Amino acid sequence: MSQDQNTAETAGQTPEDENRLIAERRGKLNSLRELGEAYPNGFRVNTTAGALQKRFADDDAEALEGVDESFAVAGRMMAKRVMGKLAFVRLQDRDGDIQLMVQRDQLPEGVFAAFKTWDVGDIIGGSGAITRTNKGELSVRLSELHLLSKSLRPLPEKWHGLTDTEQRYRQRYVDLIVNDDSREVFRKRSQIITFIRQFMEAPGREFLEVETPMMHPIPGGAAARPFVTHHNALDLEMYLRVAPELYLKRLIVGGLGRVYEINRNFRNEGISTRHNPEFTMLEFYWAFANYNDLMDLTEEMLRGLALTVTGETVVHYQGVDLDFGQPFARLSVEQAVRDHNPDLADADLWNVDVLRGICAERSIHTEQSWGAGRLLMEVFDATVEDKLVAPVFITQFPTEVSPLSRRNDDNPEVTDRFELYIAGREIANGFSELNDPEDQAERFRNQVSARDAGDQEAMYFDDDYIRALEYGMPPTAGEGIGIDRLVMLLTDSASIRDVLLFPYMRPEHS
RNA sequence: GGGGGUAUAGCUCAGUCGGUAGAGCAUCGGACUUUUAAUCCGCUGGUCCUAGGUUCGAAUCCUAGUGCCCCCA
């Protein structure tokens, strides 16, 4: 919509076609330049809006008269109401809002006249005494006021704010200026990640935060198509990581015992309300633990998170109540498929022909090379996944689709693996790790065969990972938790784009 | 990949049957020392997403394309 303006400005042209509102503000900026420094950086604050609101919440006007302090605040002017020689300003800073009381006769000569030319959106700073107006609004009564940074572009309308989703995502800075809800989502996101770090490192758990490579010579650790890039000096194809798993387990071989990483993964797949090409995962590995320990820890973490972020253990998501206070159900893949497909007999669950028939009925794409395990998961995805609303651990995934997981002691066709589903979405994936190097090598070979047969999501053979396992990896359990989807749940956000500061968008200019 | 929705002033949105492009807020000019979406008076502001087509005439109808949103695969 404003493409012409943007191209004109980036090209450094005279903005002849720039809209009048911007042209007027640019004229004011030119006047400021003539008067001296238009972008001063000398003003210093000694408090914030939020701190003032908190400190003086219970003080009336009389009590405030006894406060013999000068408060310096700075931020964006969000509203400006001028009444002759008096004006009120709503100042927004990093942690809240505070009203400024601007009186001509309390300010140095000429300041009030200049102030009258300033615009909503400008960054200003001022200082003065704290007071409460006749209507009871806590205010800083200014004895000093400066324009710190001129805003050339008008803000969205004050009452409706910015609702256009495209502009909210493309110009997140505008969204953050005008939409309190948006700011709140990203504060909570930060709170969630802080909580997780503290939880993982708390006494008794003592996981060590580590950083492993984002660029891999061999992509591994997940069934996903990678982004490819190129290292010039080495003349080498590199892949943005789809998962940190194989590196983190090398650290377990190295004896670090308990490690975690919170960082981005990249998957070259479709984009939707639940998928962004880059997304954030918590991934952790725990020596001398198994997948049951992981499920217990996950429950405890999510319960604590809900309580910390929302203040209660029941999470309200898109009109549904999700109880994080109760133990989560645990249910095998087989059981879950049977529950949602009552026509199926037990024997059918591992019958390739029956499963293929079900897929055909539902026009689910299958490959001739797929075994019962893969087909069973296709049926699970189609008939079960989106019905798993209350938190539930789905366990015992087929070995065929779990090339890095330890086989179950009683049934080698399934693994000691689980996925946590909440609100019909996969939130976490964890398992007892496969630490038998010979079994792992065999699984890699099967993956390579699948890749050769055309499965672009199949894994590569990672020689060094096998070499690491051959040194001996302790019995270990490991898990990945999708942070973005977790933030969606805890902030009641319908789209992953609402919890990413800068979600992926097509480039603006063609 | 398929389907549906949407695109009009800086923002939020109207726009009838195809007949000169509208409102609120913001801006601009004026009044105002207690406002809270301040109020009052006055004036402005448009590539109706893009390109074609139909028509005497298109924001409106048709075709194609593009961005965004949603659903499905």
Side-chain angles (χ1 to χ4, degrees):
Chain A
M1 56 187 66
S2 56
Q3 292 187 350
D4 291 352
Q5 296 162 16
N6 293 342
T7 46
E9 280 159 33
T10 46
Q13 296 165 357
T14 308
E16 288 171 11
D17 54 357
E18 188 171 85
N19 84 61
R20 193 182 42 118
L21 298 176
I22 296 175
E24 274 159 3
R25 291 183 177 212
R26 208 176 283 280
K28 291 176 181 176
L29 174 61
N30 288 335
S31 302
L32 289 171
R33 290 190 197 283
E34 284 165 17
L35 289 170
E37 180 54 70
Y39 290 92
N41 187 350
F43 189 84
R44 288 298 176 263
V45 300
N46 63 16
T47 188
T48 63
L52 290 173
Q53 298 287 7
K54 195 174 169 189
R55 176 172 163 191
F56 298 114
D58 300 324
D59 293 298
D60 60 16
E62 198 179 342
L64 293 176
E65 271 182 49
V67 179
D68 186 25
E69 282 180 70
S70 178
F71 299 99
V73 289
R76 195 178 294 275
M77 180 158 64
M78 298 302 291
K80 181 188 178 199
R81 293 181 285 273
V82 180
M83 277 141 281
K85 302 180 185 69
L86 167 71
F88 293 99
V89 163
R90 186 164 67 85
L91 185 82
Q92 177 173 291
D93 71 8
R94 66 186 165 88
D95 69 356
D97 291 296
I98 186 88
Q99 179 165 273
L100 305 179
M101 192 170 173
V102 188
Q103 293 163 287
R104 189 189 69 175
D105 299 338
Q106 301 299 314
L107 290 165
E109 184 74 26
V111 171
F112 192 82
F115 159 78
K116 286 212 277 187
T117 70
W118 301 350
D119 295 292
V120 168
D122 288 351
I123 307 292
I124 63 175
S127 65
I130 194 76
T131 187
R132 222 172 253 290
T133 62
N134 294 349
K135 295 282 169 62
E137 182 78 27
L138 188 70
S139 308
V140 178
R141 187 165 50 207
L142 298 183
S143 51
E144 180 194 7
L145 176 61
H146 305 280
L147 176 58
L148 304 179
S149 185
K150 183 70 197 165
S151 169
L152 295 177
R153 291 178 180 268
L155 291 177
E157 199 246 352
K158 60 190 169 190
W159 188 241
H160 299 93
L162 180 65
T163 61
D164 181 76
T165 48
E166 182 174 359
Q167 199 182 339
R168 286 186 51 227
Y169 297 150
R170 286 197 193 280
Q171 296 179 254
R172 182 66 87 183
Y173 38 90
V174 179
D175 180 42
L176 289 170
I177 290 169
V178 299
N179 290 329
D180 297 346
D181 294 350
S182 188
R183 284 198 300 279
E184 190 55 27
V185 164
F186 294 106
R187 283 204 188 91
K188 281 185 176 168
R189 184 177 176 118
S190 174
Q191 202 181 357
I192 287 165
I193 290 170
T194 299
F195 177 95
I196 290 171
R197 286 207 164 91
Q198 287 170 352
F199 181 89
M200 297 304 289
E201 296 182 18
R205 293 194 199 91
E206 295 151 13
F207 282 78
L208 184 74
E209 183 169 14
V210 296
E211 294 164 276
T212 63
M214 310 289 283
M215 293 195 295
H216 293 179
I218 302 169
R225 298 179 65 171
F227 286 93
V228 185
T229 186
H230 187 259
H231 191 294
N232 288 342
L234 300 180
D235 189 21
L236 191 65
E237 294 287 287
M238 304 281 284
Y239 303 86
L240 299 186
R241 76 179 191 191
V242 294
E245 173 155 356
L246 300 183
Y247 285 90
L248 289 169
K249 284 194 282 198
R250 284 173 169 96
L251 299 179
I252 297 297
V253 170
L256 298 187
R258 299 180 183 185
V259 296
Y260 77 100
E261 179 165 7
I262 299 174
N263 219 322
R264 226 65 63 82
N265 291 342
F266 306 85
R267 296 187 183 174
N268 206 339
E269 294 164 356
I271 296 164
S272 76
T273 49
R274 300 172 198 188
H275 298 86
N276 197 66
E278 52 179 293
F279 62 98
T280 300
M281 282 268 275
L282 161 68
E283 206 159 311
F284 60 98
Y285 290 83
W286 183 3
F288 312 112
N290 66 26
Y291 76 130
N292 287 310
D293 300 311
L294 294 176
M295 287 190 275
D296 293 343
L297 178 139
T298 303
E299 270 189 38
E300 196 179 340
M301 181 193 293
L302 293 199
R303 204 163 293 145
L305 263 177
L307 206 52
T308 301
V309 175
T310 71
E312 52 180 333
T313 53
V314 176
V315 172
H316 307 285
Y317 185 70
Q318 306 289 297
V320 178
D321 287 349
L322 305 166
D323 192 350
F324 284 26
Q326 299 299 314
F328 298 173
R330 300 182 185 190
L331 194 66
S332 71
V333 170
E334 291 181 43
Q335 256 177 291
V337 170
R338 257 198 320 252
D339 288 353
H340 289 88
N341 297 273
D343 298 344
L344 286 181
D346 285 9
D348 294 337
L349 294 176
W350 295 93
N351 183 315
V352 170
D353 295 329
V354 171
L355 294 169
R356 208 179 288 284
I358 296 172
C359 289
E361 279 169 27
R362 295 172 170 271
S363 54
I364 298 167
H365 172 80
T366 60
E367 296 282 345
Q368 207 50 45
S369 58
W370 292 0
R374 177 77 185 262
L375 294 167
L376 180 64
M377 289 317 298
E378 293 294 328
V379 173
F380 173 88
D381 288 348
T383 62
V384 181
E385 181 171 2
D386 62 352
K387 299 187 177 67
L388 301 175
V389 176
V392 56
F393 291 109
I394 299 297
T395 64
Q396 314 297 347
F397 278 63
T399 305
E400 183 183 356
V401 297
S402 311
L404 304 170
S405 306
R406 184 180 189 278
R407 291 182 200 269
N408 183 268
D409 288 337
D410 299 324
N411 177 5
E413 292 305 310
V414 300
T415 57
D416 287 343
R417 174 183 170 190
F418 68 87
E419 286 187 352
L420 171 62
Y421 287 86
I422 305 175
R425 292 134 198 229
E426 179 196 341
I427 299 297
N429 173 25
F431 40 86
S432 298
E433 299 298 336
L434 174 57
N435 60 344
D436 175 342
E438 295 179 349
D439 189 355
Q440 183 66 76
E442 179 62 25
R443 306 263 198 110
F444 275 153
R445 279 191 287 273
N446 291 340
Q447 288 289 304
V448 170
S449 302
R451 170 160 289 276
D452 290 344
D455 183 353
Q456 292 185 295
E457 293 188 349
M459 295 181 188
Y460 294 74
F461 197 102
D462 189 331
D463 290 299
D464 177 69
Y465 179 65
I466 296 298
R467 180 168 62 183
L469 290 186
E470 285 171 353
Y471 278 92
M473 181 167 84
T476 297
E479 179 175 350
I481 299 181
I483 298 298
D484 310 288
R485 290 180 183 177
L486 199 54
V487 177
M488 286 170 67
L489 287 175
L490 293 171
T491 58
D492 197 11
S493 299
S495 170
I496 196 170
R497 298 183 196 92
D498 294 323
V499 302
L500 297 169
L501 281 168
F502 299 100
Y504 177 80
M505 301 285 278
R506 277 176 211 275
E508 222 171 333
H509 305 295
S510 49

